[in-house]
Amino acid sequence: MGGRYPSSKGQRCECNFCAAAWGGIDHRAAVQASAHVVERLPASVDVVFSGLEVGLRVVTGAALSTCAPAASPLRQAYVDYGGGVDRGRYSWDLITMHVAAAGGLPGVRRCSDCGGVNVVDASSGANAWRRGPAANQTYLVLEDAADAQRVIDRLLCQPPRLGASTPNVVPFAAFALSSEI
């Protein structure tokens, strides 16, 4: 995840490449690190970039207000994060995870005529697709936001496979670090 495709030129850099969201960390360090990592992606690894423009158009999770029980921790997370019932969220993360785990997602395709590589500018965090011979990199193209939304919402609405009817609550104190570590 990161960038805009085929280019973010003339736009604010995407937060995963420049730490622009939530106050971020040091912008300069973030853009330099992003450029460094993207430039050095191993040729032996297939890389699929999912850009800001894809996730912004696929809003998921609002269905949880009607398909999931009120005790569902997932439903409650969407209510709390979204500011109320029947509100969804941009789906950058869910699209990326679905494509990585399942190899694709209806309504979204890998760019098939996009030979080249992604380049991130180390001073601004802006990215651009540098056309060239076919390589190990490509990016996602949104063809039908409604199809992608339906598939993801259907997955979000599935009950837990283990059949748990109530959430397993673990006291926060269980996560406290020991002073002996």
Side-chain angles (χ1 to χ4, degrees):
M1 248 178 359
R4 296 175 192 216
Y5 298 91
S7 173
S8 66
K9 185 176 181 178
Q11 302 172 48
R12 184 175 174 207
C13 69
E14 192 275 327
C15 69
N16 286 312
F17 284 165
C18 69
W22 314 109
I25 58 169
D26 179 16
H27 172 77
R28 188 169 168 204
V31 297
Q32 289 173 353
S34 296
H36 178 86
V37 169
V38 170
E39 181 181 350
R40 288 165 178 78
L41 290 168
S44 60
V45 177
D46 287 333
V47 179
V48 180
F49 290 95
S50 182
L52 176 75
E53 72 285 353
V54 175
L56 277 178
R57 293 186 45 217
V58 180
V59 178
T60 58
L64 288 163
S65 292
T66 56
C67 73
S72 165
L74 180 59
R75 178 183 186 267
Q76 191 60 48
Y78 270 83
V79 168
D80 291 346
Y81 185 84
V85 296
D86 299 320
R87 299 185 78 175
R89 180 181 191 284
Y90 300 124
S91 299
W92 308 286
D93 300 333
L94 297 177
I95 290 168
T96 301
M97 291 305 300
H98 196 286
V99 169
L105 174 65
V108 177
R109 69 172 174 86
R110 294 173 188 226
C111 188
S112 58
D113 61 346
C114 302
V117 295
N118 193 18
V119 177
V120 177
D121 181 275
S123 62
S124 69
N127 75 291
W129 195 257
R130 182 185 301 145
R131 289 267 186 195
N136 65 319
Q137 298 181 24
T138 190
Y139 58 87
L140 296 178
V141 176
L142 182 64
E143 292 185 320
D144 190 328
D147 275 353
Q149 177 187 353
R150 272 191 294 277
V151 170
I152 292 172
D153 275 341
R154 190 170 39 237
L155 288 170
L156 291 173
C157 287
Q158 289 182 4
R161 290 199 179 188
L162 297 176
S165 59
T166 58
N168 182 10
V169 178
V170 178
F172 181 74
F175 295 102
L177 292 177
S178 167
S179 61
E180 297 172 7
I181 295 179

